[in-house]
Amino acid sequence: MSATLCKKEFYVQKFDFQHAGKAASDVRKLLMDYGYEQQLVRRVAIAAYEAEMNMVIHGQGGTLALEIDFEYIQLVAEDNGPGIPNLQLAMQEGYSTAGDEIREIGFGAGMGLPNINRCVDFLGIQNKPQGGTIVTMQVSLGAEK
Ligand SMILES: Nc1ncnc2c1ncn2[C@@H]1O[C@H](COP(=O)(O)OP(=O)(O)OP(=O)(O)O)[C@@H](O)[C@H]1O
Ligand SMILES: [Mg+2]
């Protein structure tokens, strides 16, 4: 059985580097307020940040939805960008399609998705038929990683 304790949605604008990271920071604050332990909050916040940045840079912006349940904390990043044509490649450390302009400002190391994978207990990536990506991430509560 599961029950939702909290649901919240954050909007992420494409190429808005001034506010990029705000959604992840809000997620972190909210989880701290709920009293979750620091290590767990850190894992969720890293996953949120990487997913947020991917929507800013690659996904034409999108939404980051947080759901806190008794059994897990879930993040769903959904955008209407181009999608990820080769998921296996995208999951490899160091693989990035980011251009020079993005690399010049410090992104595009190809570490975001592998980083998310290390932080969460479940990672699911779906391409939407009409274009766009849905990244579902869950961190289990109660079990240490
Ligand atoms: N939301 C998305 N929409 C479209 N493509 C994406 C999305 N997220 C990731 N990708 C693709 O997957 C690749 C790998 O993503 P990943 O986050 O691992 O690296 P990166 O964003 O390129 O670099 P870094 O995260 O280290 O700044 C990206 O370069 C991009 O091609
Ligand atoms: Mg990234």
Side-chain angles (χ1 to χ4, degrees), residues 36-53:
Y36 291 107
E37 64 170 278
Q38 218 173 333
Q39 187 56 24
L40 186 125
V41 175
R42 206 174 146 263
R43 286 168 53 202
V44 178
I46 290 170
Y49 177 76
E50 295 293 357
E52 179 180 2
M53 291 316 302

Side-chain angles (χ1 to χ4, degrees), residues 8 12 25 31 79 104:
K8 213 163 161 107
V12 178
S25 160
L31 295 180
D79 66 57
E104 273 161 25

Side-chain angles (χ1 to χ4, degrees), residues 23-108:
S25 160
D26 287 349
V27 165
R28 173 192 288 272
K29 273 188 218 129
L30 200 143
L31 295 180
M32 294 293 269
D33 288 347
Y34 266 84
Y36 291 107
E37 64 170 278
Q38 218 173 333
Q39 187 56 24
L40 186 125
V41 175
R42 206 174 146 263
R43 286 168 53 202
V44 178
I46 290 170
Y49 177 76
E50 295 293 357
E52 179 180 2
M53 291 316 302
N54 280 351
M55 290 194 290
V56 171
I57 294 168
H58 311 289
Q60 304 288 322
T63 56
L64 182 70
L66 169 73
E67 186 180 318
I68 306 176
D69 195 278
F70 280 118
E71 288 160 5
Y72 57 82
I73 295 171
Q74 177 174 274
L75 293 166
V76 179
E78 176 165 1
D79 66 57
N80 295 309
I84 305 179
N86 188 333
L87 286 174
Q88 217 186 335
L89 209 52
M91 286 306 298
Q92 280 178 22
E93 290 192 6
Y95 175 82
S96 177
T97 57
D100 290 343
E101 277 172 43
I102 294 296
R103 289 170 196 259
E104 273 161 25
I105 55 169
F107 300 100

